[in-house]
């Protein structure tokens, strides 16, 4: 009986060693790649400005926005302020992938239920400084709500680094 217990123990140990050494390689390319609009994606500290492009609108301050890929993985991506100060969540289209420009015409805004036009959207690589002084990308775009034609809100900001000194 003792011999059977040792044989079972050796068999189980052997199975354990064999499965531990077995490779789990599924083949193919292990690099999943990126998305079509990955150069537009990120978190941004953005402020809404008056038409002069300098004065903060509504006495506002910087708010956290995100830009992220649409599920279609084409030239469309989302701009989203997470239902905070300005309530803006809409899909925009990358108009030039090299120069990082974007726009939207009569795009549905999901928080307020109004449609928006976004013009002059651009991301500039290494063209801004974070709150802590780090060189980061800048973003700029103008928004006109279809229900309020002629009123243009200017959005300007810089990319979030995640460093503690750069947080609000």
């Amino acid at each position: 009986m003792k011999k059977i217990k040792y044989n079972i123990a050796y068999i189980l140990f052997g199975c354990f060693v064999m499965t531990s050494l077995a490779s789990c390689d599924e083949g193919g390319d292990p690099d999943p790649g990126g998305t079509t609009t990955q150069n537009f994606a990120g978190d941004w500290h953005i402020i809404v400005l008056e038409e002069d492009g300098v004065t903060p609108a509504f006495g506002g301050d910087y708010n956290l926005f995100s830009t992220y890929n649409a599920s279609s993985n084409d030239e469309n991506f989302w701009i989203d302020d997470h239902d905070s100060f300005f309530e803006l969540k809409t899909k925009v289209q990358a108009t030039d992938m090299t120069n990082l420009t974007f726009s939207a015409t009569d795009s549905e805004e999901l928080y307020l239920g109004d449609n928006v036009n976004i013009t002059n959207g651009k991301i500039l690589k290494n063209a801004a400084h974070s709150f802590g002084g780090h060189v980061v990308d800048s973003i700029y775009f103008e928004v006109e709500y279809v229900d309020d034609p002629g009123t243009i809100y200017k959005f300007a900001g810089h990319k979030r680094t995640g460093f503690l000194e750069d947080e609000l």
Side-chain angles (χ1 to χ4, degrees):
M1 187 65 145
K2 215 177 200 186
K3 190 175 183 183
I4 293 174
K5 286 182 184 178
Y6 285 121
N7 286 341
I8 291 173
Y10 286 129
I11 291 171
L12 289 175
F13 180 73
C15 289
F16 173 74
V17 169
M18 295 300 285
T19 57
S20 296
L21 298 176
S23 172
C24 295
D25 185 17
E26 295 180 16
D29 186 3
D31 181 11
T35 63
T36 304
T37 56
Q38 67 187 11
N39 292 330
F40 293 87
D43 289 330
W44 306 87
H45 293 290
I46 294 178
I47 191 166
V48 183
L49 303 170
E50 297 286 346
E51 290 191 45
D52 64 8
V54 177
T55 309
F58 315 110
D61 201 359
Y62 284 88
N63 288 283
L64 186 63
F65 281 68
S66 295
T67 53
Y68 48 89
N69 188 56
S71 61
S72 55
N73 196 26
D74 54 13
E75 69 279 354
N76 295 305
F77 65 95
W78 290 94
I79 295 178
D80 186 357
D81 79 345
H82 310 285
D83 200 17
S84 65
F85 172 73
F86 207 78
E87 298 181 314
L88 178 66
K89 181 177 183 177
T90 193
K91 196 181 290 187
V92 297
Q93 182 176 28
T95 53
D96 186 333
M97 298 295 233
T98 304
N99 293 315
L100 302 177
T101 60
F102 58 92
S103 65
T105 303
D106 204 27
S107 181
E108 182 181 10
E109 194 292 311
L110 298 181
Y111 292 135
L112 297 175
D114 191 6
N115 287 7
V116 294
N117 295 317
I118 295 183
T119 56
N120 299 316
K122 183 153 184 74
I123 293 173
L124 298 169
K125 291 291 191 184
N126 301 318
H129 288 88
S130 67
F131 299 127
H134 303 281
V135 176
V136 293
D137 299 346
S138 73
I139 189 169
Y140 177 84
F141 57 95
E142 298 173 357
V143 176
E144 175 186 35
Y145 285 86
V146 173
D147 284 352
D148 188 13
T151 303
I152 308 294
Y153 298 97
K154 298 180 179 192
F155 291 70
H158 62 270
K159 198 160 198 177
R160 180 181 184 215
T161 65
F163 296 135
L164 188 57
E165 65 267 23
D166 289 332
E167 295 301 313
L168 295 176

